[in-house]
Amino acid sequence: MQGKRILLGVTGGIAAYKSPDLVRRLRERGAEVQVVMTAGAREFVTPTTFQAVSGRTVRSDLWDAAAEAAMGHIELARWAHAVLVAPASADFLARLATGQADDLLATLCLATEAPIAVAPAMNHIMWANAATRANIGTLTQRGVQVFGPAEGDQACGEVGEGRMLEPLELAERVGALLSGSGALAGRRVLITAGPTRERIDPVRFISNRSSGKMGFAVAQAAREAGATVVLVAGPVSLPTPAGVRRVDVESAADMLAAVLTELPGTDVFISTAAVADYRPARAAEHKIKKTTETMELAMQRTTDVLATVAARADRPLVVGFAAETEAVEQNARTKLMKKNLDMIAANEVGHDKAFDCEDNQLIVLSRNGRHELGRAGKLTLARGLVGLIAQDLAARVGARTRGTARA
Ligand code: CTP
């Protein structure tokens, strides 16, 4: 976290008494911390405490002319490498979800392009309330990272889910979110994920069982490794990993169009999507009626997104996925060669394996390498895969440099 700039928002909740310790934990790791308090937070802890531990004047008023003259709120929003709101009260989550800009902290969250994380802290019934659940759903869909809350004793004397995570854990989570100095720092990674839907008529489609979890985990891992990540996602109900830009698509044709739009400047293309191989040759304009005992649907091949990218002269490093029910490694190697890929990650599917489950295992093949990533959670596997990709990229740069030196 050395040299990283963290904007720490503190909102009104009893857990605010832990936030000065959080400032210390972040600073211990080398981060600069600017505290911004809401009016509610000031009822629990004084700005003087935060000023002492952060070494910076605390901000809290949108209309503070002197502070604005020193660093305007838009400038402050740009200054931050990450925003962490801890504790995040139910009220603040609601204001963030509705995009309000009625105080300094909410305005900064709206104006920043940095990843935002919130650490909710509230009574367990407030946390379970449908309104809070809906706000959390909205925020996660928009890529806000939600850290916790934990379960346990609450300040109100009750027990349940709603305690803010401990400062040490929050500091570690922010570190993971930030690690812009990782192995893919400065790289742009484009990822496809999820299934596609191919229209039969206005109310029906053909799709598959892909949950998108592996692709989303790869996006998170690439982001953690410091890359700028664009995730082209088919229809899935998964939260966008923090700091990742997501482009939603529906059909294979939409996915191809989005990928080609996003491709310029991309260093690595990772194709995890379960793109439909065929689509109905014609989508009916109106709902098809059941007038016959049997019906036939003429299908036509979709364009292979991965092969299209791999065939371009200005191709990035191209990584495919192979989901196989048999002869996993052999089929994957055939795909690696046939589609002219740099790397392929193969897994066995079917018999309740891989699709829509939490863990998996991968065999990663490249032109002259083979690695096994043993059964583990998808995020762990994704981090392993990203590590292999980073090694491959570094080796290419090394080879180019040595080539130049010889020339
Ligand atoms: N893929 C793609 N566009 C398609 C089809 C597949 O980008 N229209 C990509 C997937 O994202 C994955 C890889 O290609 O990275 C999977 O290869 P593919 O040969 O399509 O797998 P299968 O459909 O299982 O192939 P086959 O039926 O030939 O085994």
Side-chain angles (χ1 to χ4, degrees):
M1 262 195 227
Q2 200 61 42
K4 292 293 169 194
R5 301 191 295 256
I6 297 169
L7 201 149
L8 176 66
V10 183
T11 74
I14 182 61
Y17 84 89
K18 293 183 182 172
S19 302
D21 187 34
L22 173 58
V23 175
R24 288 188 46 230
R25 302 288 178 193
L26 294 168
R27 292 194 71 199
E28 267 168 22
R29 289 166 167 69
E32 274 184 73
V33 183
Q34 171 66 56
V35 176
V36 176
M37 300 176 80
T38 62
R42 298 168 74 113
E43 298 292 324
F44 291 90
V45 190
T46 70
T48 320
T49 308
F50 282 114
Q51 181 163 330
V53 289
S54 69
R56 298 175 76 99
T57 308
V58 172
R59 300 280 300 262
S60 52
D61 187 0
L62 192 53
W63 309 112
D64 180 339
E68 279 290 311
M71 194 197 289
H73 61 274
I74 299 293
E75 228 178 305
L76 188 52
R78 280 204 207 109
W79 171 88
H81 290 128
V83 176
L84 169 64
V85 183
S89 64
D91 173 67
F92 185 76
L93 295 173
R95 289 196 288 126
L96 194 58
T98 48
Q100 307 218 11
D102 51 355
D103 71 0
L104 180 62
L105 183 57
T107 307
L108 289 168
C109 289
L110 213 53
T112 191
E113 283 186 327
I116 300 177
V118 294
M122 67 195 74
N123 165 276
H124 67 105
I125 299 172
M126 290 169 76
W127 173 248
N129 188 289
T132 308
R133 312 270 15 102
N135 291 331
I136 288 290
T138 304
L139 293 172
T140 48
Q141 285 291 340
R142 288 188 195 141
V144 172
Q145 191 93 1
V146 181
F147 295 163
E151 254 188 83
D153 292 336
Q154 299 214 289
C156 54
E158 295 177 14
V159 179
E161 198 181 3
R163 280 171 64 95
M164 186 172 87
L165 294 185
E166 294 304 321
L168 201 58
E169 181 165 1
L170 288 175
E172 272 163 20
R173 298 252 197 139
V174 177
L177 184 70
L178 271 168
S179 52
S181 55
L184 290 181
R187 303 290 195 171
R188 181 181 153 95
V189 177
L190 178 61
I191 299 165
T192 64
T196 62
R197 281 182 186 170
E198 309 303 324
R199 261 179 65 158
I200 298 173
D201 69 16
V203 296
R204 302 181 179 96
F205 54 78
I206 291 176
S207 192
N208 58 64
R209 288 183 57 196
S210 165
S211 65
K213 283 178 188 160
M214 192 66 218
F216 275 58
V218 171
Q220 181 175 337
R223 175 66 203 137
E224 283 174 6
T228 301
V229 182
V230 180
L231 176 62
V232 176
V236 291
S237 52
L238 291 173
T240 312
V244 167
R245 186 157 67 80
R246 171 171 172 178
V247 178
D248 284 316
V249 296
E250 198 161 301
S251 66
D254 297 342
M255 189 167 271
L256 176 66
V259 164
L260 293 180
T261 304
E262 296 292 341
L263 197 61
T266 293
D267 297 292
V268 183
F269 175 64
I270 310 174
S271 184
T272 77
V275 189
D277 290 325
Y278 292 89
R279 64 158 175 266
R282 273 192 51 241
E285 200 182 327
H286 297 289
K287 190 177 163 198
I288 300 170
K289 295 289 181 192
K290 49 179 175 308
T291 49
T292 52
E293 267 319 299
T294 59
M295 79 171 274
E296 277 176 20
L297 205 53
M299 304 282 278
Q300 98 186 59
R301 280 285 287 272
T302 57
T303 307
D304 192 310
V305 183
L306 177 60
T308 305
V309 172
R312 289 170 66 106
D314 58 347
R315 57 179 272 166
L317 184 100
V318 181
V319 183
F321 265 70
E324 306 291 343
T325 54
E326 53 171 358
V328 177
E329 191 160 341
Q330 197 183 323
N331 284 331
R333 193 162 287 283
T334 307
K335 265 172 210 173
L336 176 81
M337 306 313 280
K338 210 168 91 188
K339 295 199 188 191
N340 193 25
L341 311 178
D342 297 297
M343 195 182 272
I344 194 159
N347 63 328
E348 195 178 342
V349 292
H351 325 292
D352 293 332
K353 287 194 185 120
F355 279 139
D356 212 12
C357 66
E358 294 309 321
D359 64 354
N360 200 351
Q361 58 191 10
L362 294 175
I363 299 173
V364 182
L365 306 173
S366 54
R367 294 278 160 162
N368 38 27
R370 180 189 186 282
H371 297 268
E372 271 184 40
L373 301 176
R375 183 157 288 282
K378 287 184 177 175
L379 187 56
T380 305
L381 290 174
R383 287 179 179 141
L385 177 65
V386 162
L388 293 173
I389 292 171
Q391 274 174 19
D392 203 312
L393 273 176
R396 278 157 197 254
V397 173
R400 260 206 303 274
T401 319
R402 284 191 297 279
T404 317
R406 268 200 299 275

